[in-house]
Amino acid sequence: MVVGIAVASALFIAACYAFYITRPPTPKGPSGKVLTRAIDGVEHHRECFKDDGWVPVISTLYEAFKRGFVMNPSAPFLGFRQVELPGKPYRWLTYEQVHERFRNVGSGLVDKGCQEQSFVGIYAKNSPHWSVVMHACSAYNMTLVPLYDTLGAKAMTHILETCGLEVVFVDSALVYNFLKWSEGSKVRLIVSIGSELSSENIEKAASLGFEIMTLGDFEVYGLNKRSEPRPPKAEDIALICYTSGTTGTPKGAMISHGNIAACCIGLKANITDFLDHRDTIISYLPLAHVYQFAIECFFAYLGAKIGYFQGDLKLLLNDFETLQPTVIPSVPRVLNKAFDKINGLAHEKAIIGKLFDIGLASKLQEVEAGVYRRNSIWDHLLFKKVQRSFGGKCRLLITGSAPCRGDILQWYRAVLGCFVMEGFGQTELSGVGTMSVDGDHTIGHIGIPFPSLKVKLVDVPEKEYYAKDNRGEICFKGPSVFKGYFKEPEKTAATIDSEGWLHSGDIGKWTDHGCLSIIDRKKNLFKLAQGEYIAPDKIEAIYERAPIVSQCFVYGESLKSSLVGIIVPDEMALAKLDPPVSIEDFVADPTSAGMVLQTMQTIGQKELKSFEQVRHITLIPEAFCVENNLTTPTMKKRREAISEAYMDKLQSMLSNMA
């Protein structure tokens, strides 16, 4: 017994010694430095220090591709896997092959009558074909209009009509539905991406007077009609990106080539000496949204590799393991779910859970000192399996679209041993507005202004936020600010003021280090009976910190003085109860809501005013997600859709309040 303890102690001491002697020196990162500077002496009006070195070396998406192409035409560019052959490695198209393919597609479009700045639609999942069409439109100066499932039939019809789309590239599995939506539109040519055309689709297209052909046939057609590219200018519109629309009809943001180029150069300046042509990124976030679109344009600019997922999120981890990406873009909802799952599995056995926590604490100390690695004793003992599930080679994890909890950011930095950069962006900013920089391991902020962008805070008197107090609406100005909403000048004027400042709708403040922090939301406000304004996003973010709460939706009305909520319990937390319980049984138990509400109110007492606390909740088993149309593809809640779906429950709670 004594010998066993002695051996265990010796091994532990040896492990600790190995852990520290293999530790690399602490890098001289930017943490602790003031990373921005005041403009004209006004502290709430700031820009990035890197603006001194910002040079627009490219002005269009076409030039971004050409830079990567010229570096090494034979280098792998776009990777894919065949769904019908699961488990097989990635196959690659080189820059030269993609160049040839998009010239064929572009030439075919020209011969079919597409003029410069003609609109071309694409309705498909991420794939090399998507990228080929994108670069074809860029090289031949046509405007790409991405479409996606969650728009719904009404919005899809609206876009077809508003843009007057005549040519649309459509996934073969989506062709039949698209044909139904496009009746009465100006569409005259559908190019099917994927498998051979079915007789049903051919007949349906013929009945509507549409020409229909496969992408392969269209490329052969273009090869026989080859024409020279028509390079765009910076001011030409590269993309009309229809916002997911948390409420109402989606708006079409006009994004120019100059906007995209500014985003690429900003990314390069922000992560100089960190990424290059040897890197690989995985593409699974929707390319129809500007976040993923801008990142892929940047990777083309680098001459790097883009590997596409198989099209099924359930197989995503298999794609990670096979592709071994060095860069992974993500969103907080995905990161939170993975964090919950891994943490839950690690703590299924008490002794393993305790060891996991000790190892995590040790690695977190390193992260806080700016050290990121995957070769410590803890990595070999505990974290290698987690790292391999993300491919094992991740050097950079990028998260955006919504705020991510600081403790989860630090957890990923420690467990994956990689940089985690958080960014803030909007469609209207062509992707990115602020971003943390490599070496900054602090939390509680969304980084610094992108190179070339100026940021200021503006008074919001109705919420008692004033720029002089370092509180206000975040506004942006610079070359990546979009050109306005297509055919909607009034909405454009409401978003971009007369001086060219884009009003984000988010409330922020500057940290002591010159980083930007979001503290509230100007939009999504409603007023209670006592006259108090409520920002539900802020309240929901606080309640969702409770381990028992996976998702929260807060609701109120101007004739009522209190708030109510719809809550999706966290399945991983329920699995840890003694005894474990399924989400369906937990929701059905009449005592569960009271327990969850008490937990939420305890958390809320620390940060919420009394009128911001929910008074009644209803538990539901089904998560808000893209599939039930209750979130956008970037995981933002569709408030109008959730209200409509659960209005009976919401009204019942409100009517029962004293």
Side-chain angles (χ1 to χ4, degrees), residues 16 99 144 237 261 436 455 520 546 586 599:
C16 292
H99 179 257
L144 191 65
I237 304 302
S436 54
V455 181
D520 204 345
F586 185 77
T599 302

Side-chain angles (χ1 to χ4, degrees), residues 627-639:
E627 288 73 19
N628 58 22
N629 200 36
L630 298 183
T631 69
T632 70
T634 51
M635 309 302 176
K636 296 183 179 72
K637 297 185 185 86
R638 294 185 186 271
R639 308 201 67 85

Side-chain angles (χ1 to χ4, degrees), residues 345-403:
L345 291 172
H347 290 83
E348 283 183 344
K349 295 182 179 179
I351 187 169
I352 300 297
K354 185 65 176 176
L355 191 61
F356 190 92
D357 291 341
I358 293 171
L360 178 63
S362 296
K363 289 209 69 183
L364 282 172
Q365 287 183 344
E366 290 196 338
V367 166
E368 289 168 1
V371 174
Y372 300 81
R373 61 170 172 155
R374 292 192 291 269
N375 65 347
S376 74
I377 187 68
W378 299 116
D379 291 307
H380 292 297
L381 286 176
L382 299 168
F383 303 133
K384 280 298 178 187
K385 186 174 181 180
V386 179
Q387 292 162 7
R388 282 196 296 267
S389 70
F390 284 85
K393 295 184 179 180
C394 181
R395 299 195 301 120
L396 174 61
L397 182 67
I398 305 171
T399 177
S401 91

Side-chain angles (χ1 to χ4, degrees), residues 146-444:
L147 308 168
Y148 46 95
D149 280 336
T150 53
L151 283 167
K154 184 177 179 181
M156 192 81 77
T157 302
H158 167 77
I159 295 169
L160 290 174
E161 180 180 340
T162 305
C163 293
L165 287 173
E166 297 185 8
V167 179
V168 184
F169 292 79
V170 185
D171 257 339
S172 56
L174 303 172
V175 167
Y176 191 76
N177 278 342
F178 181 78
L179 287 169
K180 289 191 296 183
W181 292 331
S182 57
E183 290 189 38
S185 71
K186 294 183 179 179
V187 173
R188 54 184 173 81
L189 171 62
I190 294 174
V191 181
S192 175
I193 298 172
S195 57
E196 292 298 314
L197 287 168
S198 68
S199 57
E200 184 180 28
N201 286 338
I202 293 173
E203 291 170 5
K204 179 68 174 176
S207 70
L208 295 172
F210 298 163
E211 182 182 6
I212 188 168
M213 57 199 306
T214 65
L215 179 59
D217 289 341
F218 190 72
E219 289 186 49
V220 172
Y221 174 83
L223 176 63
N224 295 319
K225 303 286 185 178
R226 284 291 282 265
S227 59
E228 291 301 311
R230 307 179 302 203
K233 299 180 288 295
E235 62 270 21
D236 288 330
I237 304 302
L239 181 72
I240 294 189
C241 194
Y242 275 85
T243 61
S244 305
T246 53
T247 60
T249 303
K251 303 183 292 290
M254 296 184 292
I255 299 173
S256 72
H257 280 273
N259 293 153
I260 294 294
C263 192
C264 288
I265 300 306
L267 281 166
K268 178 63 176 173
N270 225 34
I271 46 183
T272 304
D273 303 325
F274 190 64
L275 298 182
D276 59 30
H277 66 279
R278 293 167 293 185
D279 281 290
T280 304
I281 193 170
I282 187 163
S283 175
Y284 69 98
L285 297 175
L287 263 170
H289 296 276
V290 75
Y291 174 24
Q292 184 69 30
F293 185 95
I295 290 175
E296 293 201 16
C297 293
F298 173 57
F299 262 64
Y301 168 85
L302 288 178
K305 295 190 291 185
I306 302 168
Y308 293 89
F309 80 133
Q310 296 173 72
D312 185 348
L313 289 174
K314 295 177 183 177
L315 302 174
L316 187 59
L317 287 181
N318 182 259
D319 290 330
F320 281 141
E321 291 173 6
T322 305
L323 181 65
Q324 299 182 329
T326 59
V327 181
I328 298 176
S330 194
V331 293
R333 180 67 181 158
V334 173
L335 296 180
N336 293 348
K337 290 183 72 173
F339 166 82
D340 289 339
K341 183 176 182 179
I342 295 166
N343 244 11
L345 291 172
H347 290 83
E348 283 183 344
K349 295 182 179 179
I351 187 169
I352 300 297
K354 185 65 176 176
L355 191 61
F356 190 92
D357 291 341
I358 293 171
L360 178 63
S362 296
K363 289 209 69 183
L364 282 172
Q365 287 183 344
E366 290 196 338
V367 166
E368 289 168 1
V371 174
Y372 300 81
R373 61 170 172 155
R374 292 192 291 269
N375 65 347
S376 74
I377 187 68
W378 299 116
D379 291 307
H380 292 297
L381 286 176
L382 299 168
F383 303 133
K384 280 298 178 187
K385 186 174 181 180
V386 179
Q387 292 162 7
R388 282 196 296 267
S389 70
F390 284 85
K393 295 184 179 180
C394 181
R395 299 195 301 120
L396 174 61
L397 182 67
I398 305 171
T399 177
S401 91
C404 189
R405 278 169 40 189
D407 61 323
I408 291 182
L409 289 178
Q410 296 294 71
W411 186 92
Y412 275 101
R413 286 167 175 159
V415 171
L416 295 187
C418 68
F419 288 119
V420 179
M421 295 184 182
E422 186 171 17
F424 168 85
Q426 296 178 306
T427 304
E428 294 83 356
L429 280 168
S430 310
V432 189
T434 68
M435 193 173 186
S436 54
V437 294
D438 56 312
D440 184 2
H441 51 268
T442 58
I443 58 176

Side-chain angles (χ1 to χ4, degrees), residues 22 35 38 279 294 360 446 464 585 596 647:
T22 59
L35 301 171
D279 281 290
L360 178 63
I446 51 170
E464 298 185 352
D585 290 343
V596 174
M647 185 54 68

